[in-house]
Amino acid sequence: MQTVICPGSFDPVTRGHVDIIKRAAKTFEKVIVAVFINKAKVPCFTIEERIHFLEKALEGIDNIEVVSCEGLLADYARERHVTAVVKGLRAMSDFEYEFQMALTNKMLNPELETLFFSSAAENMYVSSSIVKSVASFGGDIRDFVPECIHDEIRDRLCRGGVNNEG
Ligand code: PNS
């Protein structure tokens, strides 16, 4: 048993993310959920909002820590003495991108392994971009985001407009 990192943009967190993080928390001693500030993407939600949604969706699970991060995942893992990253894999379309990231992280930090958890069947098509896209047309996002944060995410997307990148 060990500590793992679940990294992502979480813009916003989806049911798919929560499922993977909870399964990681059952499998490993501790899970660090690292919310990355990605300068290449303009996020829809602020880092504080993304952390708030994650903390609310994961409330009551003692072995999960939610943090914000800037810079390289490989460096952050080294800093925290963590040697494994857990990511969810949906369809084959995820594979190329995830494989590229896993290999890059391994090059930058040879101690760092990437473990893939397969997405639950019901979350195969769920992504943060789908949430933002559906919400931008006034669609129902209830099935895509955790129940406890649905109203907050919906209201915020209605109020603040939607940036569909990522
Ligand atoms: O949820 P996302 O947007 O697919 O998450 C991507 C994320 C944040 C995991 C990835 O962009 C990342 O690891 N960013 C940190 C910067 C980094 O380490 N880049 C080099 C590895 S490709």
Side-chain angles (χ1 to χ4, degrees):
M1 292 287 265
Q2 64 173 107
T3 299
V4 297
I5 298 176
C6 287
S9 306
F10 304 109
D11 186 43
V13 63
T14 66
R15 285 185 186 243
H17 293 131
V18 168
D19 174 58
I20 299 292
I21 295 165
K22 284 184 174 173
R23 283 160 55 198
K26 278 190 191 155
T27 310
F28 299 100
E29 207 169 325
K30 179 171 176 179
V31 176
I32 300 171
V33 179
V35 186
F36 271 88
I37 299 166
N38 183 350
K39 285 181 181 152
K41 284 185 188 173
V42 182
C44 196
F45 294 92
T46 66
I47 194 85
E48 291 79 15
E49 286 174 316
R50 286 181 272 158
I51 287 175
H52 163 73
F53 291 139
L54 275 158
E55 284 179 341
K56 203 160 167 186
L58 299 167
E59 206 169 2
I61 308 173
D62 290 342
N63 61 336
I64 294 179
E65 178 188 354
V66 183
V67 298
S68 71
C69 281
E70 201 165 355
L72 291 171
L73 171 59
D75 289 342
Y76 182 70
R78 196 181 283 113
E79 233 173 75
R80 296 291 308 257
H81 306 286
V82 173
T83 56
V85 167
V86 169
K87 296 217 72 182
L89 208 53
R90 290 166 300 186
M92 276 305 286
S93 50
D94 275 350
F95 182 77
E96 204 172 334
Y97 171 67
E98 293 296 346
F99 200 62
Q100 189 181 22
M101 281 207 283
L103 291 176
T104 306
N105 286 328
K106 188 90 178 142
M107 284 286 289
L108 296 168
N109 177 352
E111 299 297 309
L112 193 59
E113 300 294 344
T114 301
L115 311 173
F116 293 108
F117 279 22
S118 60
S119 163
E122 65 271 25
N123 295 323
M124 277 289 179
Y125 62 98
V126 179
S127 69
S128 300
S129 347
I130 286 286
V131 170
K132 289 178 278 192
S133 178
V134 171
S136 74
F137 294 105
D140 187 358
I141 56 167
R142 198 169 294 275
D143 287 343
F144 310 143
V145 296
E147 178 69 39
C148 62
I149 51 175
H150 166 266
D151 290 0
E152 270 185 85
I153 291 180
R154 184 207 50 205
D155 294 350
R156 168 65 173 73
L157 287 173
C158 288
R159 211 179 50 240
V162 173
N163 166 22
N164 279 332
E165 289 177 50

